[in-house]
Amino acid sequence: MHSLTMLARWGDHSLTSAEIAESLASNPVLVRRILGSLRDAGLVRSTEGRGGGWTLARPPREITLYEAYAAVEAGPVLSRHPHPPSAECEVGRNMERLLEVEFREAERAMEERLGRTTIQHLVQQVLAGEQERAHLAG
């Protein structure tokens, strides 16, 4: 989401993975791995060579936080039991089923919430935050 917001903010030119990694205080190799997943999901594209780098593949108002999340995270948000509990215990017999309902509802709520926010929303909030910061420093 950070990378996508950066690309949207400076949409008039591409950014290298090193530039994005600097903002993330991270490693360019890790950033390239994440950007590769975003590219596979159709959210970014890359160009090779001099002046190359990463750009958004779609307008930021059309990319939701849920799409970004789903592109880089595999599997359910909430972890399930790694092995079945005891069928001999009344709690064990019921817990997986009960928690599965709760976990599915929580994950659906997260999907819905992240699906309402776009990368453009984040850019607008970044710019508003910078205006406020400049005003307070002024």
Side-chain angles (χ1 to χ4, degrees), residues 44-62:
V44 300
R45 62 176 155 250
S46 63
T47 53
E48 300 287 326
R50 188 179 190 103
W54 297 89
T55 56
L56 293 180
R58 299 187 348 227
R61 70 181 177 282
E62 295 178 10

Side-chain angles (χ1 to χ4, degrees), residues 10 12 14-15 24 31 37 45 57 63-64 68 79 101 103 105 113 115 122 135 137:
W10 284 279
D12 55 338
S14 62
L15 297 175
L24 284 162
V31 170
S37 295
R45 62 176 155 250
I63 301 172
T64 68
S79 62
V101 170
F103 286 4
E105 284 298 313
R113 178 64 184 98
L122 294 184
H135 177 73

Side-chain angles (χ1 to χ4, degrees), residues 30-42 44 54 71-72:
L30 175 61
V31 170
R32 278 192 292 278
R33 190 175 313 132
I34 292 168
L35 289 168
S37 295
L38 294 172
R39 180 184 52 220
D40 294 345
V44 300
W54 297 89
V72 297

Side-chain angles (χ1 to χ4, degrees), residues 6 13 34-35 37 51 55 64 69 72 81 86-87 95 97 100-101 112 119 131 138:
M6 281 192 69
H13 70 279
I34 292 168
L35 289 168
S37 295
T55 56
T64 68
Y69 173 82
V72 297
H81 266 283
S86 171
M95 193 52 57
R97 176 181 54 81
E100 185 60 30
V101 170
E112 189 274 327
I119 295 300
Q131 285 179 344

